[in-house]
Amino acid sequence: MFQHLIGISDRREQLSNEGFATMSHQLFTKSGYDSTDKIMELIQDVKQEISTEREQRLNDGEIKV
């Protein structure tokens, strides 16, 4: 799903706002994210994963602050 969303994002200039919204909605629904609550849960999960990965890289010395 993420790769499809990136593909839509790459073509964003070619789509109307409505077209972008429709394609995004279809992708989310097809992937099982058929409600606002599920999408918000997905966003929170992704944010947590990013935070965890960043913390691991900091601990491994990969990122300098």
Side-chain angles (χ1 to χ4, degrees):
M1 181 184 76
F2 184 70
Q3 293 297 330
H4 288 293
L5 286 174
I6 290 173
I8 290 174
S9 179
D10 291 343
R11 296 180 307 183
R12 177 67 180 102
E13 301 82 29
Q14 301 168 352
L15 293 172
S16 67
N17 288 338
E18 186 176 306
F20 182 78
T22 298
M23 288 183 77
S24 298
H25 178 74
Q26 289 171 350
L27 285 171
F28 277 108
T29 301
K30 184 178 179 180
S31 298
Y33 299 98
D34 53 359
S35 71
T36 302
D37 289 338
K38 287 182 181 180
I39 293 170
M40 293 304 294
E41 199 173 299
L42 172 65
I43 291 168
Q44 292 302 318
D45 289 346
V46 169
K47 289 170 87 174
Q48 182 61 49
E49 286 179 28
I50 290 169
S51 177
T52 300
E53 288 176 10
R54 183 176 293 134
E55 188 174 317
Q56 286 175 337
R57 289 188 305 208
L58 278 169
N59 290 337
D60 293 342
E62 292 181 26
I63 298 176
K64 305 217 184 319
V65 181

